Amino acid sequence: ESSAYAARPLCHAEILRRLNRLLDRQVDEAKVAVYDSNFGLLISQEPLICRSPDLAVYWTDQIQVLDGLFCSAPSLIAEVLSPSETHSREDEKLRDYANLGVMEVWMISPDTQTVAVYQLRNGQLESIALITNGDLKPVRFPGVSIPVAALWPAPR
């Protein structure tokens, strides 16, 4: 049991590393920025709510920073779900991202090797697909295509 638990953080980090590299290779870095969770995203000033998404993708001309926090909505956010993630926490993140105006969110589940895709419609992030194979194609980044199978580390 302890070895399976120890492998989970590596899996999380590995999925993010793979996704970041796949995105970076397909976008013009002068126009698009891909950030990992080492940044703060301001959701609300009153009350103060910040998040650190696992990965966020911005058009560089739309980035706004205030007091060291990103305060503009990324065009795409990806979250890699941990085993302890609850549906209520997922819903809370989706509500926050919708309130900020994030156009698309990918909830990546290492346990089921699926990606739930949400898109902003009428002010809410609605589930539009649960992808198990094929390609992820972010709506705001034409020409970008991420093979879902490329996200998962090979079994050891």
Side-chain angles (χ1 to χ4, degrees):
E1 182 178 305
S2 63
S3 64
Y5 180 77
R8 289 187 192 280
L10 176 61
C11 186
H12 185 275
E14 181 63 19
I15 290 167
L16 285 173
R17 184 185 74 80
R18 288 165 180 256
L19 180 56
N20 199 330
R21 289 181 69 199
L22 288 163
L23 285 165
D24 266 342
R25 290 179 189 156
Q26 296 183 56
V27 297
D28 178 350
E29 69 181 38
K31 295 179 181 178
V32 177
V34 180
Y35 294 101
D36 63 20
S37 60
N38 294 323
F39 75 99
L41 178 60
L42 181 66
I43 303 297
S44 163
Q45 286 186 304
E46 291 293 328
L48 182 62
I49 300 171
C50 295
R51 292 230 175 253
S52 291
D54 287 328
L55 192 114
V57 187
Y58 281 92
W59 287 101
T60 54
D61 63 355
Q62 296 176 356
I63 296 173
Q64 296 174 8
V65 179
L66 175 68
D67 296 330
L69 294 172
F70 284 68
C71 55
S72 52
S75 294
L76 171 66
I77 283 179
E79 293 277 6
V80 178
L81 303 175
S82 64
S84 63
E85 191 81 29
T86 64
H87 287 297
S88 61
R89 274 192 48 137
E90 272 183 62
D91 291 344
E92 189 177 296
K93 287 178 184 181
L94 289 169
R95 273 193 306 277
D96 285 348
Y97 296 152
N99 289 339
L100 189 59
V102 177
M103 298 302 295
E104 186 169 5
V105 175
W106 296 347
M107 292 288 196
I108 302 168
S109 174
D111 288 343
T112 60
Q113 293 194 345
T114 58
V115 180
V117 177
Y118 296 83
Q119 290 180 354
L120 191 65
R121 295 190 177 149
N122 302 316
Q124 294 188 16
L125 281 161
E126 294 181 8
S127 175
I128 62 152
L130 183 65
I131 307 211
T132 56
N133 56 33
D135 296 332
L136 293 161
K137 296 182 180 187
V139 292
R140 298 291 301 264
F141 301 97
V144 173
S145 182
I146 306 295
V148 173
L151 298 178
W152 317 126
R156 297 180 189 226

Short mmCIF file of all heavy atoms in Angstrom, two decimals, residues 22-81:
data_model
loop_
_atom_site.label_atom_id
_atom_site.label_comp_id
_atom_site.label_asym_id
_atom_site.label_seq_id
_atom_site.Cartn_x
_atom_site.Cartn_y
_atom_site.Cartn_z
N LEU A 22 3.86 19.08 -23.83
CA LEU A 22 3.04 18.94 -25.04
C LEU A 22 2.44 20.28 -25.47
O LEU A 22 2.40 20.61 -26.65
CB LEU A 22 1.94 17.91 -24.82
CG LEU A 22 2.41 16.45 -24.74
CD1 LEU A 22 1.34 15.56 -24.12
CD2 LEU A 22 2.80 15.94 -26.12
N LEU A 23 1.99 21.06 -24.50
CA LEU A 23 1.44 22.38 -24.81
C LEU A 23 2.52 23.33 -25.31
O LEU A 23 2.36 24.01 -26.33
CB LEU A 23 0.74 22.97 -23.59
CG LEU A 23 -0.63 22.39 -23.26
CD1 LEU A 23 -1.05 22.78 -21.84
CD2 LEU A 23 -1.67 22.85 -24.27
N ASP A 24 3.64 23.38 -24.59
CA ASP A 24 4.74 24.28 -24.96
C ASP A 24 5.21 24.06 -26.39
O ASP A 24 5.54 25.02 -27.09
CB ASP A 24 5.93 24.11 -24.01
CG ASP A 24 5.91 25.09 -22.86
OD1 ASP A 24 5.20 26.11 -22.94
OD2 ASP A 24 6.61 24.84 -21.87
N ARG A 25 5.25 22.81 -26.82
CA ARG A 25 5.72 22.49 -28.18
C ARG A 25 4.78 22.98 -29.27
O ARG A 25 5.17 23.10 -30.41
CB ARG A 25 5.88 20.98 -28.33
CG ARG A 25 7.01 20.40 -27.55
CD ARG A 25 7.05 18.90 -27.77
NE ARG A 25 8.01 18.30 -26.87
CZ ARG A 25 7.97 17.04 -26.49
NH1 ARG A 25 7.02 16.24 -26.93
NH2 ARG A 25 8.87 16.56 -25.66
N GLN A 26 3.51 23.23 -28.90
CA GLN A 26 2.51 23.53 -29.93
C GLN A 26 2.05 24.99 -29.95
O GLN A 26 1.22 25.35 -30.78
CB GLN A 26 1.29 22.63 -29.73
CG GLN A 26 1.62 21.16 -29.93
CD GLN A 26 0.38 20.31 -29.80
OE1 GLN A 26 -0.61 20.51 -30.49
NE2 GLN A 26 0.43 19.34 -28.90
N VAL A 27 2.56 25.80 -29.04
CA VAL A 27 2.12 27.20 -29.00
C VAL A 27 3.30 28.12 -29.27
O VAL A 27 4.46 27.76 -29.07
CB VAL A 27 1.46 27.56 -27.64
CG1 VAL A 27 0.19 26.74 -27.42
CG2 VAL A 27 2.42 27.38 -26.48
N ASP A 28 3.00 29.32 -29.72
CA ASP A 28 4.00 30.35 -29.95
C ASP A 28 4.27 31.03 -28.61
O ASP A 28 3.42 31.73 -28.09
CB ASP A 28 3.46 31.35 -30.97
CG ASP A 28 4.41 32.49 -31.26
OD1 ASP A 28 5.43 32.66 -30.54
OD2 ASP A 28 4.13 33.24 -32.21
N GLU A 29 5.46 30.81 -28.05
CA GLU A 29 5.74 31.32 -26.71
C GLU A 29 5.74 32.84 -26.63
O GLU A 29 5.64 33.40 -25.54
CB GLU A 29 7.04 30.75 -26.15
CG GLU A 29 8.29 31.22 -26.85
CD GLU A 29 9.54 30.59 -26.27
OE1 GLU A 29 9.53 29.41 -25.90
OE2 GLU A 29 10.54 31.31 -26.20
N ALA A 30 5.78 33.52 -27.76
CA ALA A 30 5.67 34.98 -27.75
C ALA A 30 4.22 35.41 -27.52
O ALA A 30 3.96 36.52 -27.09
CB ALA A 30 6.19 35.57 -29.06
N LYS A 31 3.27 34.50 -27.80
CA LYS A 31 1.85 34.84 -27.71
C LYS A 31 1.11 34.08 -26.62
O LYS A 31 0.04 34.50 -26.18
CB LYS A 31 1.15 34.57 -29.04
CG LYS A 31 1.65 35.44 -30.17
CD LYS A 31 0.94 35.10 -31.45
CE LYS A 31 1.45 35.96 -32.59
NZ LYS A 31 0.83 35.62 -33.85
N VAL A 32 1.66 32.92 -26.21
CA VAL A 32 0.97 32.05 -25.25
C VAL A 32 1.93 31.68 -24.13
O VAL A 32 3.09 31.35 -24.38
CB VAL A 32 0.46 30.76 -25.95
CG1 VAL A 32 -0.19 29.82 -24.96
CG2 VAL A 32 -0.52 31.12 -27.08
N ALA A 33 1.44 31.75 -22.90
CA ALA A 33 2.24 31.38 -21.72
C ALA A 33 1.58 30.23 -21.00
O ALA A 33 0.37 30.26 -20.76
CB ALA A 33 2.39 32.57 -20.79
N VAL A 34 2.37 29.22 -20.64
CA VAL A 34 1.90 28.06 -19.90
C VAL A 34 2.55 28.11 -18.52
O VAL A 34 3.78 28.11 -18.42
CB VAL A 34 2.27 26.74 -20.62
CG1 VAL A 34 1.76 25.54 -19.83
CG2 VAL A 34 1.72 26.72 -22.04
N TYR A 35 1.72 28.19 -17.48
CA TYR A 35 2.22 28.28 -16.10
C TYR A 35 1.82 27.05 -15.32
O TYR A 35 0.70 26.57 -15.45
CB TYR A 35 1.64 29.51 -15.39
CG TYR A 35 2.10 30.81 -15.98
CD1 TYR A 35 1.28 31.53 -16.85
CD2 TYR A 35 3.35 31.33 -15.68
CE1 TYR A 35 1.70 32.73 -17.39
CE2 TYR A 35 3.78 32.53 -16.21
CZ TYR A 35 2.95 33.23 -17.08
OH TYR A 35 3.37 34.41 -17.62
N ASP A 36 2.74 26.60 -14.45
CA ASP A 36 2.37 25.50 -13.56
C ASP A 36 1.92 26.10 -12.23
O ASP A 36 1.74 27.31 -12.12
CB ASP A 36 3.52 24.50 -13.39
CG ASP A 36 4.75 25.12 -12.76
OD1 ASP A 36 4.65 26.18 -12.10
OD2 ASP A 36 5.84 24.53 -12.92
N SER A 37 1.72 25.27 -11.24
CA SER A 37 1.05 25.69 -10.01
C SER A 37 1.88 26.62 -9.12
O SER A 37 1.46 26.92 -8.01
CB SER A 37 0.63 24.47 -9.20
OG SER A 37 1.77 23.69 -8.89
N ASN A 38 2.99 27.11 -9.59
CA ASN A 38 3.81 28.02 -8.78
C ASN A 38 3.39 29.48 -8.95
O ASN A 38 4.23 30.36 -9.01
CB ASN A 38 5.30 27.85 -9.12
CG ASN A 38 5.80 26.50 -8.71
OD1 ASN A 38 5.39 25.98 -7.68
ND2 ASN A 38 6.67 25.91 -9.49
N PHE A 39 2.10 29.71 -9.03
CA PHE A 39 1.60 31.08 -9.12
C PHE A 39 0.25 31.15 -8.43
O PHE A 39 -0.41 30.14 -8.22
CB PHE A 39 1.49 31.54 -10.59
CG PHE A 39 0.33 30.94 -11.33
CD1 PHE A 39 -0.84 31.66 -11.49
CD2 PHE A 39 0.40 29.67 -11.84
CE1 PHE A 39 -1.92 31.11 -12.16
CE2 PHE A 39 -0.66 29.11 -12.52
CZ PHE A 39 -1.82 29.83 -12.68
N GLY A 40 -0.14 32.35 -8.06
CA GLY A 40 -1.44 32.56 -7.43
C GLY A 40 -2.41 33.19 -8.40
O GLY A 40 -2.06 34.13 -9.11
N LEU A 41 -3.63 32.69 -8.43
CA LEU A 41 -4.68 33.21 -9.28
C LEU A 41 -5.74 33.84 -8.39
O LEU A 41 -6.37 33.15 -7.59
CB LEU A 41 -5.28 32.08 -10.12
CG LEU A 41 -6.43 32.43 -11.05
CD1 LEU A 41 -6.00 33.46 -12.09
CD2 LEU A 41 -6.93 31.17 -11.76
N LEU A 42 -5.91 35.16 -8.52
CA LEU A 42 -6.88 35.88 -7.71
C LEU A 42 -8.28 35.62 -8.25
O LEU A 42 -8.58 35.94 -9.39
CB LEU A 42 -6.58 37.39 -7.73
CG LEU A 42 -7.49 38.29 -6.93
CD1 LEU A 42 -7.35 38.00 -5.43
CD2 LEU A 42 -7.17 39.75 -7.21
N ILE A 43 -9.12 35.02 -7.43
CA ILE A 43 -10.51 34.75 -7.81
C ILE A 43 -11.39 35.92 -7.37
O ILE A 43 -12.25 36.38 -8.11
CB ILE A 43 -11.02 33.44 -7.15
CG1 ILE A 43 -10.13 32.24 -7.53
CG2 ILE A 43 -12.47 33.18 -7.49
CD1 ILE A 43 -10.10 31.88 -9.00
N SER A 44 -11.15 36.41 -6.15
CA SER A 44 -11.98 37.48 -5.59
C SER A 44 -11.15 38.27 -4.57
O SER A 44 -10.36 37.68 -3.83
CB SER A 44 -13.20 36.85 -4.92
OG SER A 44 -13.82 37.73 -4.04
N GLN A 45 -11.36 39.59 -4.55
CA GLN A 45 -10.68 40.40 -3.54
C GLN A 45 -11.49 40.49 -2.25
O GLN A 45 -10.94 40.60 -1.18
CB GLN A 45 -10.41 41.81 -4.09
CG GLN A 45 -9.27 41.82 -5.09
CD GLN A 45 -8.91 43.21 -5.53
OE1 GLN A 45 -9.76 43.96 -6.01
NE2 GLN A 45 -7.65 43.57 -5.37
N GLU A 46 -12.82 40.50 -2.35
CA GLU A 46 -13.69 40.58 -1.18
C GLU A 46 -14.77 39.50 -1.30
O GLU A 46 -15.68 39.67 -2.09
CB GLU A 46 -14.35 41.96 -1.08
CG GLU A 46 -13.39 43.07 -0.75
CD GLU A 46 -12.82 42.97 0.66
OE1 GLU A 46 -13.53 42.48 1.56
OE2 GLU A 46 -11.66 43.37 0.86
N PRO A 47 -14.71 38.44 -0.57
CA PRO A 47 -13.61 38.03 0.31
C PRO A 47 -12.42 37.58 -0.54
O PRO A 47 -12.58 37.18 -1.69
CB PRO A 47 -14.20 36.86 1.09
CG PRO A 47 -15.18 36.24 0.13
CD PRO A 47 -15.76 37.42 -0.64
N LEU A 48 -11.24 37.63 0.05
CA LEU A 48 -10.03 37.24 -0.66
C LEU A 48 -10.04 35.73 -0.92
O LEU A 48 -10.08 34.94 0.01
CB LEU A 48 -8.79 37.63 0.15
CG LEU A 48 -7.45 37.31 -0.53
CD1 LEU A 48 -7.32 38.08 -1.85
CD2 LEU A 48 -6.30 37.63 0.39
N ILE A 49 -10.03 35.39 -2.20
CA ILE A 49 -9.99 33.98 -2.61
C ILE A 49 -8.93 33.86 -3.69
O ILE A 49 -8.99 34.57 -4.70
CB ILE A 49 -11.35 33.49 -3.15
CG1 ILE A 49 -12.46 33.62 -2.10
CG2 ILE A 49 -11.24 32.03 -3.64
CD1 ILE A 49 -13.85 33.35 -2.63
N CYS A 50 -7.97 32.98 -3.46
CA CYS A 50 -6.93 32.70 -4.45
C CYS A 50 -6.87 31.19 -4.68
O CYS A 50 -7.21 30.41 -3.81
CB CYS A 50 -5.57 33.18 -3.97
SG CYS A 50 -5.46 34.96 -3.78
N ARG A 51 -6.43 30.81 -5.85
CA ARG A 51 -6.22 29.40 -6.18
C ARG A 51 -4.85 29.28 -6.84
O ARG A 51 -4.31 30.26 -7.35
CB ARG A 51 -7.29 28.90 -7.15
CG ARG A 51 -8.67 28.84 -6.51
CD ARG A 51 -9.29 27.49 -6.76
NE ARG A 51 -10.55 27.36 -6.07
CZ ARG A 51 -10.72 26.61 -5.01
NH1 ARG A 51 -9.73 25.92 -4.51
NH2 ARG A 51 -11.89 26.52 -4.43
N SER A 52 -4.34 28.07 -6.83
CA SER A 52 -3.11 27.74 -7.56
C SER A 52 -3.42 26.55 -8.45
O SER A 52 -3.18 25.40 -8.08
CB SER A 52 -1.97 27.39 -6.59
OG SER A 52 -1.56 28.51 -5.88
N PRO A 53 -3.96 26.82 -9.64
CA PRO A 53 -4.28 25.70 -10.54
C PRO A 53 -3.01 24.92 -10.88
O PRO A 53 -1.91 25.48 -10.89
CB PRO A 53 -4.83 26.38 -11.80
CG PRO A 53 -5.05 27.80 -11.44
CD PRO A 53 -4.23 28.11 -10.25
N ASP A 54 -3.17 23.64 -11.18
CA ASP A 54 -2.01 22.84 -11.56
C ASP A 54 -1.35 23.39 -12.81
O ASP A 54 -0.14 23.40 -12.92
CB ASP A 54 -2.42 21.38 -11.78
CG ASP A 54 -2.73 20.66 -10.48
OD1 ASP A 54 -2.11 21.00 -9.45
OD2 ASP A 54 -3.59 19.76 -10.49
N LEU A 55 -2.16 23.85 -13.77
CA LEU A 55 -1.62 24.38 -15.01
C LEU A 55 -2.61 25.39 -15.57
O LEU A 55 -3.82 25.16 -15.52
CB LEU A 55 -1.42 23.24 -16.02
CG LEU A 55 -0.59 23.61 -17.23
CD1 LEU A 55 0.71 22.82 -17.19
CD2 LEU A 55 -1.34 23.27 -18.49
N ALA A 56 -2.09 26.50 -16.06
CA ALA A 56 -2.94 27.53 -16.67
C ALA A 56 -2.28 28.01 -17.95
O ALA A 56 -1.07 28.16 -18.02
CB ALA A 56 -3.15 28.70 -15.71
N VAL A 57 -3.11 28.26 -18.96
CA VAL A 57 -2.60 28.71 -20.26
C VAL A 57 -3.27 30.04 -20.60
O VAL A 57 -4.50 30.15 -20.58
CB VAL A 57 -2.89 27.66 -21.37
CG1 VAL A 57 -2.21 28.07 -22.67
CG2 VAL A 57 -2.42 26.27 -20.93
N TYR A 58 -2.43 31.02 -20.86
CA TYR A 58 -2.87 32.39 -21.16
C TYR A 58 -2.40 32.83 -22.53
O TYR A 58 -1.29 32.48 -22.95
CB TYR A 58 -2.21 33.37 -20.19
CG TYR A 58 -2.78 33.48 -18.81
CD1 TYR A 58 -2.29 32.71 -17.78
CD2 TYR A 58 -3.78 34.41 -18.54
CE1 TYR A 58 -2.80 32.84 -16.49
CE2 TYR A 58 -4.28 34.55 -17.26
CZ TYR A 58 -3.78 33.77 -16.24
OH TYR A 58 -4.28 33.90 -14.97
N TRP A 59 -3.21 33.68 -23.17
CA TRP A 59 -2.69 34.51 -24.25
C TRP A 59 -1.93 35.61 -23.52
O TRP A 59 -2.47 36.24 -22.60
CB TRP A 59 -3.83 35.08 -25.10
CG TRP A 59 -4.46 34.04 -25.97
CD1 TRP A 59 -5.63 33.38 -25.74
CD2 TRP A 59 -3.94 33.51 -27.18
NE1 TRP A 59 -5.87 32.48 -26.74
CE2 TRP A 59 -4.84 32.54 -27.65
CE3 TRP A 59 -2.79 33.77 -27.92
CZ2 TRP A 59 -4.62 31.82 -28.82
CZ3 TRP A 59 -2.57 33.05 -29.10
CH2 TRP A 59 -3.49 32.09 -29.54
N THR A 60 -0.68 35.85 -23.87
CA THR A 60 0.16 36.78 -23.11
C THR A 60 -0.41 38.19 -23.07
O THR A 60 -0.23 38.89 -22.08
CB THR A 60 1.60 36.82 -23.66
OG1 THR A 60 1.58 37.10 -25.06
CG2 THR A 60 2.31 35.50 -23.40
N ASP A 61 -1.13 38.61 -24.10
CA ASP A 61 -1.68 39.97 -24.09
C ASP A 61 -2.90 40.10 -23.17
O ASP A 61 -3.43 41.19 -22.99
CB ASP A 61 -2.02 40.44 -25.51
CG ASP A 61 -3.09 39.60 -26.20
OD1 ASP A 61 -3.55 38.58 -25.63
OD2 ASP A 61 -3.48 39.98 -27.32
N GLN A 62 -3.33 39.00 -22.57
CA GLN A 62 -4.48 39.04 -21.66
C GLN A 62 -4.09 38.85 -20.20
O GLN A 62 -4.95 38.80 -19.33
CB GLN A 62 -5.51 37.98 -22.07
CG GLN A 62 -6.09 38.26 -23.44
CD GLN A 62 -7.04 37.17 -23.91
OE1 GLN A 62 -7.22 36.15 -23.27
NE2 GLN A 62 -7.64 37.40 -25.06
N ILE A 63 -2.78 38.74 -19.93
CA ILE A 63 -2.32 38.54 -18.56
C ILE A 63 -2.35 39.86 -17.81
O ILE A 63 -1.82 40.87 -18.27
CB ILE A 63 -0.89 37.96 -18.54
CG1 ILE A 63 -0.86 36.57 -19.16
CG2 ILE A 63 -0.34 37.92 -17.11
CD1 ILE A 63 0.53 35.99 -19.34
N GLN A 64 -2.99 39.85 -16.64
CA GLN A 64 -2.99 41.00 -15.74
C GLN A 64 -2.53 40.52 -14.37
O GLN A 64 -3.02 39.50 -13.87
CB GLN A 64 -4.39 41.61 -15.64
CG GLN A 64 -4.90 42.18 -16.94
CD GLN A 64 -6.33 42.64 -16.82
OE1 GLN A 64 -6.91 42.67 -15.74
NE2 GLN A 64 -6.91 43.01 -17.94
N VAL A 65 -1.57 41.24 -13.80
CA VAL A 65 -1.02 40.88 -12.49
C VAL A 65 -1.21 42.05 -11.54
O VAL A 65 -0.98 43.20 -11.91
CB VAL A 65 0.48 40.50 -12.61
CG1 VAL A 65 1.07 40.15 -11.25
CG2 VAL A 65 0.66 39.34 -13.58
N LEU A 66 -1.65 41.74 -10.33
CA LEU A 66 -1.86 42.75 -9.29
C LEU A 66 -1.22 42.24 -8.01
O LEU A 66 -1.59 41.16 -7.53
CB LEU A 66 -3.36 43.00 -9.09
CG LEU A 66 -3.76 43.94 -7.97
CD1 LEU A 66 -3.33 45.37 -8.28
CD2 LEU A 66 -5.26 43.89 -7.75
N ASP A 67 -0.28 42.98 -7.48
CA ASP A 67 0.41 42.59 -6.24
C ASP A 67 0.94 41.16 -6.28
O ASP A 67 0.83 40.40 -5.32
CB ASP A 67 -0.52 42.75 -5.02
CG ASP A 67 -0.91 44.21 -4.78
OD1 ASP A 67 -0.10 45.10 -5.11
OD2 ASP A 67 -2.02 44.44 -4.27
N GLY A 68 1.48 40.78 -7.43
CA GLY A 68 2.07 39.45 -7.56
C GLY A 68 1.10 38.32 -7.84
O GLY A 68 1.50 37.18 -7.98
N LEU A 69 -0.20 38.64 -7.92
CA LEU A 69 -1.21 37.63 -8.22
C LEU A 69 -1.77 37.85 -9.62
O LEU A 69 -2.02 38.98 -10.03
CB LEU A 69 -2.37 37.71 -7.22
CG LEU A 69 -2.06 37.36 -5.77
CD1 LEU A 69 -3.27 37.68 -4.89
CD2 LEU A 69 -1.68 35.90 -5.64
N PHE A 70 -1.98 36.76 -10.34
CA PHE A 70 -2.63 36.85 -11.63
C PHE A 70 -4.11 37.14 -11.36
O PHE A 70 -4.74 36.45 -10.56
CB PHE A 70 -2.50 35.52 -12.39
CG PHE A 70 -1.14 35.30 -12.98
CD1 PHE A 70 -0.04 35.09 -12.18
CD2 PHE A 70 -0.98 35.32 -14.35
CE1 PHE A 70 1.22 34.88 -12.72
CE2 PHE A 70 0.28 35.10 -14.91
CZ PHE A 70 1.38 34.89 -14.09
N CYS A 71 -4.65 38.17 -11.99
CA CYS A 71 -6.05 38.52 -11.73
C CYS A 71 -6.90 38.47 -13.00
O CYS A 71 -8.06 38.89 -12.99
CB CYS A 71 -6.16 39.87 -11.02
SG CYS A 71 -5.34 41.22 -11.85
N SER A 72 -6.34 37.97 -14.08
CA SER A 72 -7.11 37.78 -15.31
C SER A 72 -7.33 36.28 -15.51
O SER A 72 -6.54 35.45 -15.04
CB SER A 72 -6.37 38.38 -16.50
OG SER A 72 -5.04 37.90 -16.56
N ALA A 73 -8.40 35.96 -16.20
CA ALA A 73 -8.76 34.55 -16.41
C ALA A 73 -7.86 33.92 -17.46
O ALA A 73 -7.72 34.46 -18.56
CB ALA A 73 -10.21 34.44 -16.84
N PRO A 74 -7.27 32.77 -17.14
CA PRO A 74 -6.58 32.03 -18.20
C PRO A 74 -7.61 31.49 -19.18
O PRO A 74 -8.79 31.35 -18.84
CB PRO A 74 -5.89 30.88 -17.46
CG PRO A 74 -6.33 30.94 -16.04
CD PRO A 74 -7.21 32.11 -15.86
N SER A 75 -7.18 31.20 -20.39
CA SER A 75 -8.09 30.60 -21.37
C SER A 75 -8.33 29.13 -21.09
O SER A 75 -9.37 28.58 -21.46
CB SER A 75 -7.54 30.77 -22.78
OG SER A 75 -7.51 32.15 -23.12
N LEU A 76 -7.35 28.48 -20.43
CA LEU A 76 -7.46 27.05 -20.12
C LEU A 76 -6.80 26.78 -18.78
O LEU A 76 -5.71 27.30 -18.50
CB LEU A 76 -6.74 26.23 -21.21
CG LEU A 76 -6.56 24.73 -20.96
CD1 LEU A 76 -7.89 24.00 -20.93
CD2 LEU A 76 -5.64 24.12 -22.01
N ILE A 77 -7.47 25.99 -17.96
CA ILE A 77 -6.90 25.49 -16.71
C ILE A 77 -6.97 23.97 -16.75
O ILE A 77 -7.98 23.41 -17.19
CB ILE A 77 -7.66 26.03 -15.48
CG1 ILE A 77 -7.26 27.48 -15.22
CG2 ILE A 77 -7.40 25.17 -14.24
CD1 ILE A 77 -7.95 28.13 -14.03
N ALA A 78 -5.89 23.33 -16.28
CA ALA A 78 -5.89 21.88 -16.11
C ALA A 78 -5.61 21.57 -14.65
O ALA A 78 -4.71 22.15 -14.04
CB ALA A 78 -4.84 21.23 -17.00
N GLU A 79 -6.40 20.69 -14.09
CA GLU A 79 -6.23 20.22 -12.71
C GLU A 79 -6.05 18.71 -12.75
O GLU A 79 -6.86 18.01 -13.38
CB GLU A 79 -7.46 20.55 -11.85
CG GLU A 79 -7.69 22.02 -11.59
CD GLU A 79 -6.87 22.58 -10.44
OE1 GLU A 79 -6.02 21.84 -9.88
OE2 GLU A 79 -7.07 23.74 -10.10
N VAL A 80 -5.00 18.21 -12.10
CA VAL A 80 -4.82 16.77 -11.96
C VAL A 80 -5.39 16.39 -10.61
O VAL A 80 -4.95 16.89 -9.57
CB VAL A 80 -3.33 16.37 -12.06
CG1 VAL A 80 -3.18 14.86 -11.87
CG2 VAL A 80 -2.76 16.78 -13.42
N LEU A 81 -6.41 15.54 -10.63
CA LEU A 81 -7.12 15.18 -9.40
C LEU A 81 -6.32 14.21 -8.56
O LEU A 81 -5.75 13.25 -9.06
CB LEU A 81 -8.48 14.57 -9.75
CG LEU A 81 -9.39 15.46 -10.61
CD1 LEU A 81 -10.65 14.71 -11.00
CD2 LEU A 81 -9.72 16.75 -9.89
#
